[in-house]
C-alpha cells in the first residue's frame, strides 16, 4: 500500500497520520513537509519536485519490496486537484490508502464565512486562464485555484466589467503569512500579489448566500432546453422559435468554461439558454428596449448574461474572443457580421436567416474564414386546436440555419 496523507492547511497531523509516518520506510513530499514532520534519520526521503522522477522512485521501491511502507505527504486534501489522481493512474486506486486533509478551497470559504456546497471549483494552475474566467462570469460562487500567470491580478483584469467581488486567500494555514482580502476586480488587477496565493473566490454577493439545498453543486436548472416561446418576454413574436433554437443549441454546444456570443439577440432566448447550460454569454443588441428585455429574461431564469448595447460588427472589437457565436439578426450588415464573428470564434458560428437571398453571402463568409459549412431549411408545423375538439397543423415561418465549424488544427508532418 501507498499511504497518502493530506497535511491540510496548517492543522496538526491526526494520530493515525502520525502512526502511518512512524511505520514508514520511505516518505515522499515537498521539502517543507519532510522537514516539518521530524522523521527519523533511518527513513528514506524523496523530495517532490517534478512528478515523474518521484513516481519512478516509488515504482522502484515497490518492485524491490512490495511490503515496504511508502508514505506520500501532500498539501490540503490530496484527492482534490491533488496527487491522488496521478498515483491512482500509475499504481491503481486499490493500492492507495488516502488520509484526507482540509482543502484550501474549504479553508478559503471558511475564512470568508460562506458555505460552499453550491460553489463551482476550477483550477487555473497550469491550465488555460480563459476557462476559469468564463466560469467566473457565468456562476455566482466560484473558487479558482491559482498558479503562475493565473493569479488575482490576471483574474481581476479579465473580470473588470463584471459585478463580482474577489476574496483573495494567500498562504492559508501559515500563522505568520496568511492573508484573506476582499477586493474588486480592478483593485486585484492593479496589485502585485507575489507567489503565495492559493485560492481566489469570485462572488456575486447578491447571490452568494443561497437557500439550503439537499444536493451539492451549482443550483440545478429546470429540466429541458429549447424552451417554449412563452418562457421569454418578446415583442410581436420576434423570437427564435424553439425548433430553430433546439438545432442552434446543438450546433453551438455551450458548456461550462465556454464563452458564447448572441449577436442581434432580440429577446435573448438563445443567450439565456446557453447560460442555462453553463456557458458565459455576451448578448449584443442595438435597440434599447431589446437590451432591457434580455436583462429581464436573464433575471427571470436566474442566469448571468452580459448585455452589450450597440450595433454589430462595430461593438464586437471590444469583446473577448468567443468559443461559439449565434447570429440571429443583422439585416444588410449580415455578411460583415458573419465575417467578423468567424475571425474571432474558436469553434462554431451559427446563423439563422429568414431571408433566403442572404444565405449565399453568409455561407461565403464562413467558408472564406476557413470553416466547414453546412445548413438546413427548417420548416415545421405545430398542432393547433380547431372547434369540435380536433386539431390542425399550423405552419411556422421557415428559417434557414447555417453553421460553420472550425476544422481542428493540423500539426505539420502528422497525418490528420
Amino acid at each position: 500500500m501507498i499511504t497518502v496523507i493530506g497535511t491540510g492547511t496548517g492543522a496538526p497531523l491526526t494520530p493515525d497520520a502520525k502512526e502511518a509516518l512512524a511505520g514508514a520506510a520511505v516518505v515522499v513530499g515537498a521539502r517543507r513537509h519532510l522537514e516539518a514532520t521530524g522523521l527519523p534519520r533511518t527513513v528514506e526521503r524523496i523530495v517532490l519536485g517534478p512528478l515523474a522522477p518521484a513516481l519512478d522512485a516509488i515504482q522502484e521501491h515497490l518492485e524491490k519490496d512490495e511490503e515496504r511502507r511508502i508514505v506520500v505527504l501532500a498539501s490540503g486534501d490530496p484527492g482534490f486537484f491533488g496527487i491522488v489522481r496521478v498515483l491512482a493512474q500509475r499504481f491503481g486506486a486499490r493500492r492507495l490508502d488516502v488520509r484526507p486533509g482540509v482543502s484550501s478551497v474549504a479553508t478559503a470559504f471558511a475564512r470568508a464565512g460562506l458555505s460552499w456546497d453550491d460553489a463551482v471549483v476550477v483550477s487555473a494552475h497550469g491550465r488555460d486562464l480563459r476557462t476559469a474566467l468564463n466560469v467566473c462570469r457565468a456562476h455566482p460562487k466560484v473558487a479558482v485555484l491559482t498558479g503562475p500567470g493565473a493569479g488575482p491580478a490576471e483574474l481581476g483584469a479579465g473580470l473588470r466589467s463584471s459585478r463580482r467581488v474577489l476574496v483573495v486567500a494567500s498562504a492559508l494555514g501559515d500563522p505568520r503569512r496568511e492573508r484573506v482580502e476582499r477586493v474588486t476586480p480592478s483593485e486585484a488587477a492593479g496589485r502585485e500579489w507575489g507567489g503565495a496565493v492559493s485560492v481566489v473566490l469570485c462572488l456575486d454577493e447578491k447571490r452568494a448566500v443561497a437557500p439550503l439545498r439537499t444536493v451539492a453543486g451549482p443550483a440545478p436548472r429546470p429540466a429541458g432546453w429549447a424552451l417554449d416561446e412563452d418562457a421569454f418576454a418578446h415583442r410581436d413574436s420576434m423570437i427564435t422559435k424553439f425548433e430553430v433554437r433546439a438545432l442552434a443549441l446543438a450546433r453551438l454546444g455551450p458548456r461550462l468554461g465556454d464563452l458564447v456570443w448572441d449577436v442581434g439577440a432580440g429577446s435573448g432566448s438563445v443567450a439565456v439558454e446557453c447560460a442555462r447550460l453553463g456557458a458565459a454569454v455576451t448578448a449584443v443588441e442595438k435597440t434599447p428596449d431589446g437590451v432591457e428585455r434580455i436583462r429581464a429574461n436573464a433575471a427571470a431564469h436566474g442566469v448571468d448574461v452580459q448585455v452589450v448595447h450597440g450595433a454589430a460588427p462595430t461593438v464586437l472589437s471590444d469583446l473577448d474572443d468567443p468559443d461559439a457565436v449565434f447570429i440571429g439578426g443583422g439585416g444588410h450588415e449580415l455578411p460583415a457580421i458573419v465575417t467578423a464573428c468567424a475571425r474571432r470564434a474558436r469553434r462554431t458560428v451559427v446563423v439563422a436567416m429568414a431571408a433566403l437571398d442572404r444565405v449565399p453571402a453568409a455561407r461565403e463568409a464562413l467558408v472564406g474564414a476557413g470553416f466547414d459549412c453546412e445548413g438546413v431549411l427548417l420548416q415545421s408545423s405545430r398542432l393547433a386546436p380547431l372547434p369540435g375538439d380536433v386539431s390542425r397543423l399550423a405552419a411556422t415561418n421557415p428559417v434557414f440555419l447555417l453553421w460553420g465549424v472550425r476544422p481542428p488544427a493540423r500539426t505539420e508532418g502528422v497525418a490528420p
Side-chain angles (χ1 to χ4, degrees), residues 29-37 75:
R31 193 176 300 279
R32 68 182 188 279
H33 292 145
L34 295 174
E35 291 173 353
T37 51
S75 299

Side-chain angles (χ1 to χ4, degrees), residues 119-207:
V120 180
V121 182
V122 59
S123 176
H125 189 88
R127 296 170 171 85
D128 190 348
L129 177 63
R130 70 184 305 277
T131 299
L133 288 172
N134 288 334
V135 174
C136 289
R137 291 169 180 139
H139 295 275
K141 187 186 289 186
V142 181
V144 182
L145 300 172
T146 62
E154 291 81 5
L155 285 167
L159 296 168
R160 286 181 193 272
S161 61
S162 70
R163 302 180 302 275
R164 297 294 192 263
V165 169
L166 302 182
V167 177
V168 182
S170 309
L172 288 170
D174 187 324
R176 294 172 299 175
R177 298 190 302 140
E178 178 178 300
R179 296 184 68 183
V180 179
E181 302 176 71
R182 189 177 293 258
V183 295
T184 66
S186 294
E187 289 169 342
R191 284 180 54 178
E192 294 287 339
W193 292 92
V197 175
S198 54
V199 182
V200 175
L201 308 183
C202 181
L203 307 172
D204 176 348
E205 292 199 297
K206 291 183 178 180
R207 296 194 289 158

